[in-house]
Amino acid sequence: LVVHLTPFLVKAGVITQEEVATKQEWLFKVAEILRERIEYFAQAPQELEMIFKSDFIIEDEEALALLHEESSKRLYEALIAKIETTDVLDAARGKAILKEIQKEEKIKGKMLFMPSRIMITGEMHGPDLTLIMDVLGKAEVLNRIKSVASIMQL
């Protein structure tokens, strides 16, 4: 999958040809995100735009309503606190952080996962959130979460 996917990612500017050799593990993670989401490789750049577009604007009324929930404000604070104190944000650590927040803040299901996804991708639905966290990395995930503070009126 990675071999066939790479030329489309290079052409779209997601990764440079020079980076391909050194970012194989990252490419496998990207391929995993896309596995169930594309029918042909040319769709990859468009599908990945949701993940890599960091200047997203949240306009969906339901998404905005979710972010204004009291539990989303606690979730926001908990996500930042936990991600800032972790050394590496990979999929396993992302999953552990969400479980910790679920237990500590008593935020479950839709009220945990949808606002988290909205804060990180700007979308309510999409591929495995912890895999997205892994691919984006700690700094980018933190920047994205912090960027929604004004929307959440924090």
Side-chain angles (χ1 to χ4, degrees):
L1 185 60
V2 170
V3 171
H4 299 291
L5 187 60
T6 301
F8 293 96
L9 298 179
V10 169
K11 185 177 179 183
V14 173
I15 189 170
T16 66
Q17 191 62 52
E18 293 75 28
E19 293 173 312
V20 170
T22 60
K23 289 191 157 189
Q24 284 295 304
E25 184 179 341
W26 182 85
L27 282 167
F28 277 100
K29 293 172 185 175
V30 170
E32 186 60 34
I33 288 172
L34 294 171
R35 183 179 309 280
E36 303 295 324
R37 303 192 62 83
I38 61 173
E39 294 178 28
Y40 50 94
F41 295 113
Q43 292 174 313
Q46 181 181 355
E47 187 64 34
L48 287 172
E49 184 177 333
M50 174 196 70
I51 298 166
F52 292 117
K53 186 177 180 185
S54 60
D55 61 343
F56 54 80
I57 298 170
I58 302 166
E59 297 176 322
D60 183 272
E61 291 299 320
E62 188 179 353
L64 290 168
L66 277 170
L67 290 180
H68 289 111
E69 291 285 335
E70 184 275 332
S71 62
S72 292
K73 294 176 183 187
R74 290 189 335 229
L75 174 61
Y76 172 92
E77 298 293 339
L79 279 170
I80 289 175
K82 290 191 177 290
I83 293 171
E84 281 180 339
T85 59
T86 195
D87 292 330
V88 176
L89 184 62
D90 58 11
R93 183 65 188 129
K95 185 175 183 176
I97 286 171
L98 291 171
K99 281 187 176 285
E100 290 167 18
I101 292 170
Q102 181 178 25
K103 186 176 180 181
E104 294 166 10
E105 298 293 332
K106 308 285 189 259
I107 304 170
K108 297 181 175 148
K110 174 183 173 180
M111 294 309 294
L112 174 67
F113 295 103
M114 278 194 172
S116 297
R117 179 180 302 283
I118 295 164
M119 289 178 213
I120 295 169
T121 68
E123 301 287 334
M124 289 178 55
H125 305 284
D128 181 328
L129 182 60
T130 59
L131 209 49
I132 291 172
M133 293 165 86
D134 192 336
V135 167
L136 292 176
K138 176 181 173 176
E140 180 63 17
V141 170
L142 276 171
N143 287 339
R144 288 174 178 219
I145 293 170
K146 289 176 180 178
S147 77
V148 300
S150 61
I151 294 168
M152 296 177 71
Q153 299 166 342
L154 297 173

